[in-house]
Amino acid sequence: MTAETPTQLYLISPLDVGGEFPQRLERALAAAPDGLITAFQFRVKDVEQHEAARLAEPLQAICAEHEVAFIVNDDVALAKRLKADGVHLGQSDGDPSEAREELGREAQIGVTCHGSKHLAMEAGEASADYVAFGAFFSSTTKEAKHHAEIELVEFWAQLFEIPCVAIGGITPDNCKPLVEAGADFLAVSGAVWNNDEVVAVEAFAKAMR
């Protein structure tokens, strides 16, 4: 993931990625104009690694077909097993520099930094490829313990080369200020998967461009 204007979408999976979900992912990626969706984060909880790898396999293949980076949430060991494009780490999920040693120079390593400039600078020093700020709005996907202000995105975009991801309750209706502030990526989950994914992706494309 490299920051190129304009802002791009970073899809985050729902917790249930079985059943019809691979077809939904295929439809969402196929509906996106070229370059709109740049990454997909595989996020499952309380699933043992063998089962997680089984669930990931078709999704990883769909992402590869559409040239979308496949990022594993929280789990460096699973990312290594899958030869994923990268890993996203929360503040309690380990050190980015250790993840870099495990996954190699080419891996995309992202770090959740909540609403903190300090955490984001630390992540950058520890070789993170991108930092994630949020939550910007209330979310149906995940209860937000931390909040971030849009001014933080403006500050970061003006001073730092490391791309920033905005996350938390982002919809086609409220995303424009984040795009204008200079967010490199908008991370979205519920706004796409709680609705018709094709309609949602098309609405984001219209709002962001």
Side-chain angles (χ1 to χ4, degrees):
M1 285 166 62
T2 53
E4 293 172 8
T5 51
T7 307
Q8 295 168 305
L9 277 185
Y10 179 147
L11 290 185
I12 297 179
S13 77
L15 292 177
D16 181 0
V17 293
E20 293 291 302
F21 184 72
Q23 291 90 325
R24 295 191 70 196
L25 178 61
E26 171 64 48
R27 284 196 292 270
L29 298 185
D34 277 356
L36 181 72
I37 298 174
T38 192
F40 170 78
Q41 186 184 118
F42 178 73
R43 179 176 175 264
V44 294
K45 299 286 179 189
D46 305 318
V47 175
E48 59 90 25
Q49 195 187 88
H50 185 72
E51 175 64 5
R54 185 188 70 78
L55 289 166
E57 187 181 3
L59 308 180
Q60 195 171 3
I62 290 163
C63 288
E65 195 180 311
H66 289 274
E67 297 182 357
V68 167
F70 186 86
I71 309 289
V72 171
N73 183 62
D74 288 356
D75 192 334
V76 174
L78 179 62
K80 189 172 183 178
R81 172 174 175 165
L82 295 174
K83 298 185 173 67
D85 296 303
V87 70
H88 183 87
L89 302 173
Q91 282 296 316
S92 57
D93 296 323
D95 185 297
S97 50
E98 289 174 11
R100 170 78 59 218
E101 280 182 33
E102 279 290 307
L103 299 176
R105 280 189 319 185
E106 298 302 311
Q108 299 284 334
I109 296 172
V111 179
T112 295
C113 299
H114 307 306
S116 170
K117 297 173 188 172
H118 175 69
L119 290 177
M121 288 186 232
E122 280 190 338
E125 285 168 13
S127 85
D129 293 288
Y130 69 89
V131 296
F133 295 123
F136 287 93
F137 309 103
S138 58
S139 166
T140 57
T141 306
K142 194 176 179 184
E143 190 182 339
K145 294 175 187 161
H146 303 272
H147 294 275
E149 301 300 326
I150 288 172
E151 292 74 24
L152 175 58
V153 172
E154 286 177 348
F155 162 85
W156 190 265
Q158 286 166 9
L159 290 180
F160 295 95
E161 292 291 311
I162 297 172
C164 78
V165 175
I167 189 167
I170 298 168
T171 69
D173 294 332
N174 66 22
C175 70
K176 197 75 176 168
L178 289 164
V179 173
E180 289 168 353
D184 298 291
F185 306 100
L186 303 182
V188 297
S189 185
V192 172
W193 308 121
N194 295 348
N195 303 291
D196 179 311
E197 59 277 1
V198 171
V199 171
V201 166
E202 288 171 350
F204 269 112
K206 190 174 175 186
M208 291 165 67
R209 298 293 191 251

